Amino acid sequence: MTENIIIDIKDASKSYGDRAAVRGLSLSVAKGEFFGFLGPNGAGKTTTIRMLTGILSPDAGSITVAGKLVSDKLHRAGKIGVLSESKGLYEWMTGKEFLSFFAGLYGIAEADEAAEKLLAEVGLKDRADSLVGSYSRGMKQRLKLARALVNEPDILFLDEPTLGLDPQGQDSIQKLLKRLNEKGVTVFYSSHLLHEVSRLCTRMAVIDKGVLVAEGTLDDLRRRTHKDDLRDIFLSLTGPDAEPE
Amino acid sequence: MNKLIWKKDITAEIYTWKSALWLLLTAIIYSVTCYLLLTNKELSLLDQTEMLWLLAKIIIGASLLVAIIDASSILTVEFEQETMEDLLISPLSVKDLIIGKFLTVMTVWALMYAVAVPYVLVSSAGSGLGPAFLAYIALYGTLMVGGFTLFVLGLSFLYRSFKNTLTTSLVFYLAVGIPALFSATLKANPFGSIISVANPLDAVFSSLDNILVDYHTALTANATYLASVAGFVVVAVVFLAVSVKVFDRHGIVKE
Ligand SMILES: Nc1ncnc2c1ncn2[C@@H]1O[C@H](COP(=O)(O)OP(=O)(O)OP(=O)(O)O)[C@@H](O)[C@H]1O
Ligand SMILES: [Mg+2]
């Protein structure tokens, strides 16, 4: 597996002032994996993703993505797509203008065509020419996903991508992600919903208060916690009732 | 890449009617000024050259004010609407981002300049000062608006908030502007004259006085004033560079 490692976090830590957000985190993800990154609110998921995308630099430890140290900033040349936690939308643009603006930033020649194709892919074709400000929350989230796909990335970092989506929306987005994964895209999927992650992911890591508390397949987690119900597994790994390893 | 940012922000200026309102406002200010200069009994007693100098000060002062307000929002809005993260993840460099934003403000300045042209031409008719007036307003306006814009962009990286950036920029504008208006009084005292040499806006006003009232239109006759303004631009560039360094160290996440 070491050959194939595409995301490698080694002993990374990050504090905001004197509050530690991530502590000594080590993780690796193989090429082509659909990797779940689970944790309750404030666990450090977003902080970790921001370190992976080069938005934050770790106080200690090292992070390699696609064979390049993230601190080099060179990794952006490698194709990563990010659905960040930031709102990140220009409300005065239409959906199509928004995507073709970003397509332009990524140097895509046929920006308008690319935008149309992406809008169709995330189910926003009918609203391509409406202002982003008029989109519902779920539609905005779909647009953010389309934005993350604009450069046809090899690695996708998704920070709670189904936030605010209805079951239909969740389902169609998840199917889209599955399809991309089958085509070889590595997906790093952060969420606080174990049922969602367990449906999609081959492997997962659970983080709580900045510390990695479990890693493996769903069966591994079941075995560790002696629980069967997904909610119970999550609760027993994280939060006030968590059982120490 | 900076062209894409420029295009986006110019479109935003148009969509939000921001620039259109500014241009209208400057046109009204110039019209009222010219009207008063021509019709008000006491003001119309001014020499034509004195009148031109007053108009020149108003053009520079109003354009600077508009540019400062515009520049205060142009970068901070990316932080406030949380679009900065996605911009920085993309291949766009901070340098291209800054250039794109800078060029947007300079475009607004170019439009304000265009609005001023007819007022300058009409009011300087017969004096032979028209071309010099236009050329020097273009030169000083571009340097001052450019310097202030760089300074405001630097503040934007430090504050990431429109309100704080605008407040600080306006305080700076007033700190530079008010002494410039009392230049003659200041110069009566040695300490005051040091301040007035170091003050770029004062240098601009004095130089325009030199050109429009005393007919010293050659560049060489205004070299010391130009040096003072160029010095200000250099300081603004350094300030922006330092701000970007600080920003790079902290990243977009405010602690
Ligand atoms: N900008 C910030 N300044 C100070 N502390 C922060 C900042 N961002 C996050 N934190 C702290 O870091 C810790 C981890 O936050 P993070 O946003 O990474 O959690 P998360 O797992 O993404 O949570 P959520 O599910 O709510 O999005 C929290 O304790 C949070 O309070
Ligand atoms: Mg988060």
Side-chain angles (χ1 to χ4, degrees), chain A residues 19 30 38 40 61 70 98 108 123 125-126 134 156 167 176 193 208 214 222 224 233 240-241 244:
Chain A
R19 181 191 292 125
L38 272 163
V70 170
F98 179 75
I108 288 151
K125 203 176 169 187
D126 316 339
S134 75
L156 264 179
L176 171 62
L193 304 169
D208 189 26
R222 281 210 173 97
R224 260 252 345 248
I233 295 175
D241 307 330

Side-chain angles (χ1 to χ4, degrees), chain A residues 3 20 24 27 38 45 55 69 71 89-90 94 108 113 118 134 136 139 143 188 193 196 198 204 206 211 219 231 242:
Chain A
E3 294 265 295
L27 259 190
L38 272 163
K45 302 184 295 297
I55 284 296
L69 271 180
S71 53
L89 295 170
Y90 299 110
T94 66
I108 288 151
E113 283 82 84
L118 283 167
S134 75
S136 72
M139 291 161 73
L143 186 65
F188 190 95
L193 304 169
E196 185 177 280
S198 64
M204 57 196 85
V206 184
V211 180
D219 284 338
R231 218 181 133 83

Side-chain angles (χ1 to χ4, degrees), chain B residues 50-242:
Chain B
E50 290 278 341
M51 189 184 90
L52 290 182
W53 186 40
L54 189 61
L55 181 64
K57 286 195 282 191
I58 285 173
I59 291 171
I60 296 277
S63 302
L64 263 185
L65 185 61
V66 169
I68 285 170
I69 296 170
D70 199 46
S72 296
S73 73
I74 204 153
L75 182 61
T76 54
V77 72
E78 305 282 5
F79 290 105
E80 294 195 338
Q81 70 193 1
E82 298 185 17
T83 37
M84 200 61 173
E85 181 167 5
D86 291 343
L87 288 180
L88 290 181
I89 289 170
S90 84
L92 177 75
S93 66
V94 173
K95 195 173 126 205
D96 275 334
L97 178 69
I98 292 172
I99 295 174
K101 300 283 178 188
F102 178 78
L103 291 179
T104 308
V105 182
M106 295 316 276
T107 308
V108 174
W109 149 242
L111 293 174
M112 287 191 292
Y113 178 76
V115 169
V117 168
Y119 295 94
V120 169
L121 290 180
V122 169
S123 57
S124 56
S127 69
L129 280 166
F133 192 163
L134 280 179
Y136 275 100
I137 288 283
L139 177 64
Y140 283 129
T142 304
L143 288 173
M144 290 301 281
V145 168
F148 264 91
T149 302
L150 295 171
F151 173 75
V152 174
L153 291 179
L155 282 178
S156 307
F157 275 115
L158 299 180
Y159 285 132
R160 301 148 197 221
S161 125
F162 169 61
K163 247 203 293 192
N164 293 347
T165 303
L166 180 64
T167 313
T168 309
S169 310
L170 285 181
V171 167
F172 183 61
Y173 174 73
L174 290 179
V176 169
I178 292 175
L181 290 178
F182 298 105
S183 178
T185 335
L186 270 178
K187 277 179 194 145
N189 143 324
F191 176 65
S193 65
I194 293 174
I195 294 182
S196 88
V197 170
N199 182 342
L201 195 60
D202 197 331
V204 170
F205 287 178
S206 306
S207 180
L208 289 168
D209 182 12
N210 195 30
I211 295 157
L212 298 172
V213 182
D214 303 331
Y215 290 85
H216 295 144
T217 54
L219 270 176
T220 44
N222 294 281
T224 46
Y225 303 119
L226 265 169
S228 167
V229 178
F232 164 66
V233 175
V234 171
V235 170
V237 170
V238 172
F239 175 72
L240 175 59
V242 171

Side-chain angles (χ1 to χ4, degrees), chain A residues 16 19-22 39-48 50 85 159-160 192, chain B residues 253-255:
Chain A
Y16 299 105
R19 181 191 292 125
V22 172
N41 292 142
K45 302 184 295 297
T46 299
T47 306
T48 304
R50 286 188 167 146
E85 198 181 64
D159 198 344
E160 312 206 18
H192 55 260
Chain B
V253 180
K254 223 171 180 181
E255 289 169 19

